[in-house]
Amino acid sequence: MARHILLCSWTGYVSVFLFLSAIMNSVSAVTHYSVPEEMDEGSVVANLATDLGLDVKSLSKRKMRVDVVGNKKYLDIKKDTGELFILERIDREFLCPLKTTSYCVLKLDATIENPIRMFNIEVEILDINDNAPHFRRGTMHLDISESSPIGERFSLNNAADPDVGTNSVKNYHLSSSEHFSIEIQTGRDGTKFADLILKKALDREQQAVHNLILTAVDGGVPTRTGTASIIVRVLDVNDNAPSFDKDKYVVDVMENSPIGSLVIKLNATDLDEGSNSDVVYSYSLYTSERTQNMFNLNPENGEIRVKEMINYEDLKFYEMEVIASDKGSNSLSGQCKLTIQVTDMNDNHPEISIKSFQSPVKENTPTDTVIAVISVSDKDSGDNGVVDLHIPHHMPFKLRESSDNYYQLVVSQPLDREKVPEYDITFTVTDRGSPPLSDNETMTLELLDVNDNVPQFPQSFYTIRVMENNAPGALLSSLTAFDPDLHENQYLVYFILEKEIANTSMSMLFSINPENGNLYALKTFDYEIEKEFLFHIEARDSGSPPLSSNVTVHIIIVDQNDNAPVIVSPWRAHGSVVEEKIPRSTDKGSLVAKVIALDTDSVHNSRITYQFLQVTDATLFSLDQYNGEIRTMRMFSYRDPRHQRLVVVAKDNGDPALSATVTIKLSTVETAVKAYSDMTEVPLEYDIFSDLNLYLVIGLGSVSFLLLITILVTIVLKCQKPKPSKAAPPSRNSVNSERNSAVADSTLVSNDAYWYSLFLAETRKGKLVVRQPVPKGSRYIVSSIPRGTGLTDTSDSAASTLQYPK
């Protein structure tokens, strides 16, 4: 087994050796090309087939390919033309990052088969000037002493450029400077760098910082540059002595100046910095001991203060010499002379005396009223004994001189306690000495309140929304007024100004707490009866005389969905089923019945929609959800049941919604009775009028007439009642929709005036009752068309009009 493995291995090695030998024999000489970097993709380097002497037509058959040795495949060959082209843009700095040599070569192997031949290709990547020089640090900081000698050198960071040869850094330039220049140096590897040379002595006191710009320039065409900032900070040496602002100072000091009071603060400056600029002050040997005992010199800040009490009669002036020394290693100093002159002072203060002061006073005190009498005096003589009295500005008072050194304080402007309840009046007396002396005394003047402000409501008009069905005694709002006066002038009482609406006093509907202005409802409101109230509330203070103001209150009753829809057509007794008959030959789209429901709630809550709740055959009838019309969707077939049961629900738009239902039983007959065509078409006449129908018509007419009289009497009685608790909802006369019933003349009333209601009732002989609203919905005109007349007779029929109460 081992011998077999060795035999197979040796056979394989022989085969590989023979294959490699064949390839080595087919390798040609190296073909060299040169291309610049950054050439566009697709650019042609050379016609490799021509240069290698190959037939272009055989390249595809011989499977010629190009392989890059050790790199990405930057180049490839077009087999149809034999051209060597750029497959991917070449960056020489990326391909050959080391700058040890400027020679950058991309090695390729071109191989063809049948027979196998291999060509060695070298593509030299030539550098172009596509990189600018750059400094590793954009800012260089140098600290140089101002005592540095001229010609001293300071090393700078050199610039780097990824390009090679002439495209690398070749020179440096320095921005203009009278103190510095540069010198270009070349390293062993050819790298260029610059040294900073000091060509003029530095002076930190003249210029502490020098800002320079170093520019590196390469040798490419066109040239590229890079810059770096050089910040030179000049280090200080102690080469400046402290100096005073003046060589000689003369100051005045008053006698009896307090001990510790400042006479003068001397200031010496040193242009150096650090400890070289710290200054210490001291007396020179020429300053007398008496002067040093009289005045204290602070060595740190140069302040000279009074050390002992100064007397003008003892000595009229003092002379001294002060030295300022710095803290440098080789201390430097400067000096100045100071003369202090003692000035005789005004040492007696003026006096003020309040002879009379009236407080408190009423805020309505008239102007020019005397409030106080003041006298002033001063024991000094001359200008030091002349005094002036004044009070603060922007006060409603003024001083009036009554006699020598006597003044009156009088009211100069109207007083208002609500703006300023009291005044702290400071009387200040000042003499005319140098410096002037003064004294002051403060008196407090209180103002008494008078009833001069009416109560004020935050709003002039209040709109309060109250939900109907409210609980009696519910708090509606708090109407609070404000009176800036005090005490009894501020205490407010609230009233409802009496006003009658429909013989009802507002005090029977609303109540207000007289102490805090809380407004309450005394009854439960019904939106369907009362929609709004407008009245006034008065707030009155307890002053003498009392002042008052009123505010308008608008109560808006907000509707609740508390009334369910009522089915008014087709009419039926409570809980009964409406029966209708229609011929089986009724056409598609014919009007079968019309359901009309009314809702006494507001417009939003009373918007009615209709829908089928139950239907025998949903494909036979359609219901308009807005007008309640039931129409046929197709003609009757012999398969349809004779009796159809329709349950219609009328639902309002409230939340939650309320509804009413009506059940209609339709029976189909074979007689030629036409279905309803439209609400406004002329009613049909029938020749057959049986005795039974006549009796029904007479009976229903009598009942309807009596019902109409009853309704009219009830309305008259309701209108005459002075204080109705709650109006009854509008009455509705029923309309009998059965085929065998007769319809009497009647008047129908509804407060849902925006709806156009059309009640249709039909008997075997035909009868049409039409109700139409007058514009703006204030009332209705109900017209009845007698039997045996057309629509043109409507104008001749008796029309009754009812005024619906708003």
Side-chain angles (χ1 to χ4, degrees):
M1 182 68 182
R3 183 179 303 173
H4 178 71
I5 292 174
L6 289 175
L7 182 60
C8 291
S9 299
W10 183 81
T11 305
Y13 288 147
V14 171
S15 300
V16 170
F17 176 76
L18 293 175
F19 178 75
L20 292 177
S21 299
I23 292 176
M24 293 298 295
N25 293 332
S26 62
V27 172
S28 303
V30 176
T31 304
H32 185 85
Y33 298 104
S34 297
V35 295
E37 62 174 328
E38 303 295 341
M39 287 185 67
D40 294 334
E41 295 178 2
S43 300
V44 177
V45 176
N47 194 312
L48 191 60
T50 302
D51 295 341
L52 297 178
L54 300 175
D55 186 7
V56 175
K57 297 179 180 180
S58 64
L59 294 181
S60 298
K61 295 180 180 180
R62 299 184 67 180
K63 298 180 181 180
M64 185 173 187
R65 64 181 181 274
V66 174
D67 297 319
V68 180
V69 180
N71 282 292
K72 294 172 60 178
K73 190 171 184 179
Y74 290 101
L75 297 99
D76 202 354
I77 189 170
K78 296 180 180 179
K79 296 180 180 180
D80 55 343
T81 61
E83 293 176 339
L84 184 66
F85 67 96
I86 302 295
L87 184 63
E88 184 177 342
R89 187 182 295 270
I90 302 173
D91 185 358
R92 182 193 175 282
E93 287 72 31
F94 175 80
L95 190 62
C96 302
L98 300 178
K99 294 183 60 176
T100 54
T101 176
S102 61
Y103 190 68
C104 182
V105 175
L106 188 65
K107 295 183 178 182
L108 298 88
D109 290 335
T111 306
I112 58 175
E113 299 179 1
N114 300 321
I116 294 176
R117 293 188 63 186
M118 182 177 293
F119 303 93
N120 293 330
I121 302 170
E122 289 184 354
V123 179
E124 181 182 0
I125 308 303
L126 302 178
D127 182 46
I128 63 173
N129 192 23
D130 58 342
N131 292 281
H134 68 278
F135 291 87
R136 294 179 179 85
R137 290 189 298 173
T139 302
M140 292 177 275
H141 295 271
L142 296 177
D143 292 338
I144 302 176
S145 174
E146 63 177 327
S147 61
S148 297
I150 297 175
E152 187 170 353
R153 308 169 72 91
F154 305 94
S155 298
L156 301 175
N157 293 332
N158 64 311
D161 192 329
D163 295 325
V164 296
T166 59
N167 295 328
S168 62
V169 177
K170 295 300 180 184
N171 201 359
Y172 292 91
H173 299 292
L174 185 67
S175 59
S176 176
S177 174
E178 61 176 335
H179 292 87
F180 297 97
S181 63
I182 59 172
E183 184 176 304
I184 310 301
Q185 302 289 336
T186 304
R188 294 181 178 179
D189 59 351
T191 303
K192 300 286 186 179
F193 59 91
D195 287 341
L196 188 67
I197 309 298
L198 181 63
K199 66 179 182 179
K200 183 179 179 181
L202 300 174
D203 188 347
R204 191 204 62 80
E205 290 71 33
Q206 292 183 358
Q207 188 174 354
V209 177
H210 296 264
N211 293 307
L212 307 174
I213 301 296
L214 180 63
T215 304
V217 183
D218 62 19
V221 178
T223 59
R224 293 179 178 268
T225 61
T227 60
S229 298
I230 302 174
I231 300 176
V232 178
R233 188 169 67 92
V234 182
L235 303 179
D236 182 56
V237 296
N238 192 21
D239 56 349
N240 291 278
S243 62
F244 290 92
D245 298 335
K246 300 179 182 178
D247 293 334
K248 187 174 184 179
Y249 295 87
V250 178
V251 295
D252 296 327
V253 62
M254 297 297 298
E255 66 170 328
N256 301 326
S257 294
I259 295 176
S261 58
L262 180 65
V263 177
I264 188 175
K265 182 178 180 179
L266 298 175
N267 183 37
T269 57
D270 193 320
L271 299 178
D272 296 322
E273 66 177 0
S275 61
N276 297 330
S277 64
D278 295 337
V279 177
V280 179
Y281 301 91
S282 61
Y283 288 121
S284 71
L285 298 177
Y286 298 101
T287 304
S288 66
E289 184 176 352
R290 182 177 182 179
T291 300
Q292 295 185 29
N293 292 333
M294 189 63 64
F295 300 97
N296 179 57
L297 173 62
N298 189 318
E300 298 297 330
N301 55 25
E303 291 181 348
I304 297 178
R305 296 182 178 272
V306 176
K307 191 175 182 181
E308 295 182 0
M309 189 63 66
I310 302 174
N311 193 345
Y312 175 81
E313 289 71 26
D314 293 343
L315 191 62
K316 294 180 176 56
F317 64 89
Y318 298 87
E319 291 184 344
M320 61 186 70
E321 186 178 72
V322 179
I323 299 175
S325 305
D326 62 27
K327 295 182 180 180
S329 56
N330 297 321
S331 180
L332 302 177
S333 62
Q335 60 276 339
C336 72
K337 291 183 178 182
L338 174 63
T339 300
I340 299 176
Q341 298 177 351
V342 182
T343 303
D344 189 20
M345 66 173 295
N346 179 24
D347 53 357
N348 288 289
H349 289 265
E351 297 179 353
I352 183 171
S353 176
I354 307 297
K355 300 299 182 182
S356 174
F357 190 81
Q358 182 182 357
S359 178
V361 297
K362 291 186 176 181
E363 61 175 322
N364 61 351
T365 299
T367 58
D368 213 34
T369 300
V370 178
I371 302 297
V373 178
I374 308 99
S375 68
V376 293
S377 62
D378 194 321
K379 296 178 181 179
D380 291 326
S381 59
D383 289 340
N384 295 333
V386 180
V387 295
D388 298 306
L389 180 67
H390 57 87
I391 60 175
H393 299 292
H394 310 298
M395 279 192 171
F397 308 101
K398 66 180 179 180
L399 289 171
R400 184 170 61 195
E401 190 172 2
S402 59
S403 60
D404 188 20
N405 290 337
Y406 275 84
Y407 295 87
Q408 292 179 341
L409 179 69
V410 297
V411 178
S412 61
Q413 300 175 16
L415 304 177
D416 190 348
R417 187 207 62 80
E418 286 72 35
K419 292 183 179 179
V420 183
E422 65 179 22
Y423 292 91
D424 291 329
I425 306 173
T426 301
F427 300 94
T428 303
V429 59
T430 307
D431 63 23
R432 299 182 183 179
S434 180
L437 299 178
S438 64
D439 193 10
N440 62 73
E441 187 168 346
T442 301
M443 304 294 291
T444 300
L445 176 64
E446 297 181 4
L447 301 183
L448 296 177
D449 182 56
V450 295
N451 192 24
D452 57 347
N453 290 278
V454 299
Q456 297 290 331
F457 285 93
Q459 301 172 217
S460 61
F461 190 90
Y462 285 87
T463 300
I464 303 173
R465 298 182 180 273
V466 180
M467 190 68 69
E468 68 169 329
N469 303 321
N470 59 290
L475 176 64
L476 304 183
S477 181
S478 182
L479 310 177
T480 305
F482 171 73
D483 193 325
D485 293 323
L486 287 179
H487 308 306
E488 67 274 2
N489 299 330
Q490 186 186 36
Y491 300 146
L492 302 181
V493 181
Y494 300 89
F495 305 93
I496 294 179
L497 297 182
E498 287 300 330
K499 179 182 178 182
E500 289 190 358
I501 298 179
N503 298 326
T504 302
S505 174
M506 286 294 102
S507 59
M508 298 184 65
L509 301 176
F510 303 97
S511 172
I512 190 168
N513 189 317
E515 296 181 357
N516 56 25
N518 287 344
L519 184 65
Y520 299 91
L522 296 181
K523 59 167 288 186
T524 299
F525 296 107
D526 190 345
Y527 173 84
E528 287 71 35
I529 300 176
E530 303 143 326
K531 292 182 173 56
E532 61 180 7
F533 301 95
L534 193 68
F535 56 92
H536 300 282
I537 289 179
E538 180 181 290
R540 184 185 305 162
D541 62 26
S542 303
S544 181
L547 301 177
S548 63
S549 64
N550 59 68
V551 67
T552 303
V553 179
H554 184 202
I555 303 293
I556 298 176
I557 307 302
V558 181
D559 181 50
Q560 281 186 331
N561 191 27
D562 55 348
N563 291 281
V566 176
I567 305 293
V568 299
S569 176
W571 183 89
R572 82 276 188 232
H574 182 69
S576 62
V577 177
V578 177
E579 294 186 359
E580 299 284 355
K581 294 181 179 181
I582 58 174
R584 293 186 67 87
S585 59
T586 300
D587 293 333
K588 174 183 177 182
S590 299
L591 180 64
V592 175
K594 180 179 179 69
V595 179
I596 298 176
L598 297 181
D599 193 320
T600 58
D601 288 323
S602 64
V603 174
H604 177 76
N605 291 328
S606 65
R607 189 170 292 115
I608 306 296
T609 56
Y610 304 89
Q611 64 185 41
F612 279 131
L613 190 61
Q614 293 180 7
V615 60
T616 303
D617 189 347
T619 65
L620 189 54
F621 302 100
S622 66
L623 173 61
D624 191 301
Q625 63 173 338
Y626 298 110
N627 60 24
E629 292 182 352
I630 301 176
R631 294 180 180 271
T632 57
M633 297 175 61
R634 59 179 175 81
M635 293 186 65
F636 287 93
S637 67
Y638 68 93
R639 296 178 181 176
D640 293 326
R642 181 181 178 187
H643 301 287
Q644 300 285 335
R645 185 173 182 271
L646 308 177
V647 180
V648 180
V649 59
K651 186 183 298 184
D652 62 21
N653 197 41
D655 186 15
L658 301 178
S659 62
T661 60
V662 61
T663 301
I664 302 174
K665 182 178 180 182
L666 295 178
S667 299
T668 57
V669 296
E670 300 298 335
T671 58
V673 180
K674 289 188 176 180
Y676 299 114
S677 59
D678 192 75
M679 295 293 290
T680 58
E681 75 174 351
V682 179
L684 300 174
E685 295 288 346
Y686 298 95
D687 295 333
I688 302 173
F689 193 94
S690 65
D691 294 338
L692 177 60
N693 290 340
L694 178 61
Y695 297 149
L696 289 175
V697 169
I698 294 173
L700 287 177
S702 301
V703 173
S704 299
F705 178 75
L706 292 175
L707 180 60
L708 176 61
I709 296 300
T710 303
I711 292 174
L712 292 177
V713 171
T714 304
I715 291 175
V716 171
L717 292 177
K718 288 291 184 180
C719 293
Q720 289 180 352
K721 285 185 179 181
K723 298 177 182 178
S725 61
K726 186 173 182 181
S731 61
R732 303 181 180 91
N733 285 344
S734 300
V735 179
N736 194 341
S737 299
E738 296 185 11
R739 291 293 182 177
N740 297 327
S741 65
V743 178
D745 297 346
S746 61
T747 300
L748 303 176
V749 180
S750 172
N751 67 342
D752 192 4
Y754 81 146
W755 284 102
Y756 281 90
S757 301
L758 187 63
F759 303 105
L760 179 63
E762 187 177 10
T763 63
R764 292 185 181 275
K765 286 298 181 180
K767 177 74 177 197
L768 181 64
V769 178
V770 180
R771 186 189 72 162
Q772 292 180 332
V774 176
K776 298 186 179 178
S778 61
R779 54 183 181 166
Y780 294 112
I781 295 177
V782 181
S783 301
S784 62
I785 303 173
R787 225 176 263 109
T789 62
L791 288 177
T792 56
D793 299 329
T794 304
S795 59
D796 298 330
S797 62
S800 61
T801 301
L802 287 183
Q803 181 69 34
Y804 178 72
K806 296 180 181 179

